[in-house]
């Protein structure tokens, strides 16, 4: 059994969560001993496709015509496409029709969480759908005191400074406008947001937020993964004010680095994250403000040990075996045998 991991326009997505998910996928298959190729001209048994651009769609159609088994990875939904870029809400219904056309080409569909699985089932998609986390390499991504110290030194944070970090693209859905508002409300704390998006593609609210000048607010842009690890190791709190996700890889990275996390209380986190147990949740900006203060003053206890367990449950060794299980089932598919999802 040989798998073709296929993604096109990687130069557009390599800095995004999807780009990281694809990298994680490669490592997961290596750990599970699954033979794979990235060369579409190689021979392969299963096409595992991660993108929904026109080239991906056409390649999937050709592979299907040639009798190849197809696993389509559904990283996106209409819901998480909304409130992203200029005109994204107007385009969203057409985006939904397009990704449905792509996903329907799969013999099976993989998506990161039960939440996104339920959304896709609501679209009326017929292929069986598996919920498998994008995962994280636990041995590599963990708290690193040295990198944490380098992070504080680079951005001129003292040992006494309370630093709040967030990571993501400059899009409204990620909650960046609320992040800046929190920086305004809490001048006694330092706020830093890693990530970048061309401001020509985002809403005025986001442009105004990113260009806000505050003494306690920084936007360093996109940085490599070791700097992200340093930020998550050296900061005091990670907040994730996102309004919609299919999973949120960076949150799992934060858990792996043993930093307390405060997230928005939204559906994608139901069932695997519990407020006050392995994470803290806030319903709105006022509750974010209240809980930030309580976490950083010690009024609320640290949850880093339980958060770390969440990351460990999504280690790539586990994810690789789950992917292999799906591949094995897909290879057993036959025109006369109905495939029952487990």
């Amino acid at each position: 059994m040989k798998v073709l991991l296929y993604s096109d326009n990687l130069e557009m997505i390599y800095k995004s969560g999807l780009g990281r998910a694809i990298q994680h996928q490669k490592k997961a298959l290596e750990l599970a001993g699954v033979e794979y190729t990235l060369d579409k001209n190689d021979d392969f048994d299963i096409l595992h496709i991660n993108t929904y651009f026109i080239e991906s769609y056409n390649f999937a159609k050709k592979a299907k015509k040639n009798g190849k088994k197809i696993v389509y990875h559904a990283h996106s939904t209409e819901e998480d496409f909304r409130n992203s870029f200029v005109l994204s809400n107007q385009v969203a219904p057409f985006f939904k029709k397009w990704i449905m056309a792509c996903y329907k080409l799969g013999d099976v569909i993989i998506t990161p969480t039960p939440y996104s699985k339920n959304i896709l089932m609501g679209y009326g998609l017929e292929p069986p759908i598996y919920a498998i986390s994008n995962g994280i390499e636990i041995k590599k991504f963990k708290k690193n005191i040295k990198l944490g110290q380098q992070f504080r030194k680079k951005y001129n944070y003292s040992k006494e400074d309370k630093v709040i970090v967030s990571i993501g693209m400059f899009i409204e859905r990620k909650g960046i406008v609320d992040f800046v508002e929190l920086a305004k409300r809490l001048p006694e704390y330092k706020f830093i947001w890693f990530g970048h998006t061309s401001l020509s593609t985002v809403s005025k609210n986001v442009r105004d937020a990113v260009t806000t000048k505050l003494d306690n607010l920084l936007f360093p842009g996109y940085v490599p993964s070791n700097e992200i690890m340093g930020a998550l190791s050296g900061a005091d709190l990670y907040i994730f004010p996102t309004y919609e996700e299919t999973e949120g890889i960076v949150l799992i990275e934060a858990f792996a680095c043993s930093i307390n996390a405060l997230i928005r209380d939204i559906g994608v986190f139901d069932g695997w994250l519990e407020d006050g147990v392995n994470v803290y949740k806030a319903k709105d900006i006022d509750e974010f403000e209240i809980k930030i203060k309580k976490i950083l003053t010690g009024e609320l206890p640290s949850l880093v040990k339980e958060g770390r367990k969440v990351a460990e449950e999504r280690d790539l060794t586990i994810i690789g075996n789950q992917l292999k299980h799906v591949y094995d089932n897909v290879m057993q598919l036959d025109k006369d045998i109905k495939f029952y999802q487990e």
Side-chain angles (χ1 to χ4, degrees), residues 117-140:
K117 173 182 173 179
N118 287 335
I119 288 176
L120 295 172
M121 290 176 66
Y123 291 176
L125 293 166
E126 294 183 1
I129 304 173
Y130 279 84
I132 298 177
S133 171
N134 289 310
I136 185 170
E137 189 176 1
I138 286 294
K139 288 184 178 180
K140 179 179 177 182

Side-chain angles (χ1 to χ4, degrees), residues 143 151-152 157 161-167 179 182 186 189-194 228 230-241 251 254-255 257-263 278-282 287-298 300-304:
K143 189 176 185 68
F151 158 74
R152 284 195 171 251
Y157 295 136
D161 284 333
K162 296 296 184 181
V163 182
I164 298 166
V165 62
S166 194
I167 303 157
F179 185 83
L182 287 167
L186 299 167
Y189 301 134
K190 306 295 185 181
F191 287 75
I192 184 166
W193 180 294
F194 291 97
I228 293 297
L232 293 173
S233 297
D236 299 282
L237 176 64
Y238 167 75
I239 68 171
F240 198 24
L251 176 58
F255 286 140
C257 288
S258 300
I259 184 174
N260 278 301
L262 173 61
I263 64 177
N278 46 27
V279 75
Y280 287 108
K281 296 183 179 182
E287 193 171 6
F288 267 104
E289 180 182 3
I290 292 168
K291 287 195 172 181
I292 284 172
K293 292 178 180 178
K294 288 184 176 181
I295 294 168
L296 293 181
T297 59
L300 288 174
S302 173
L303 302 177
V304 297

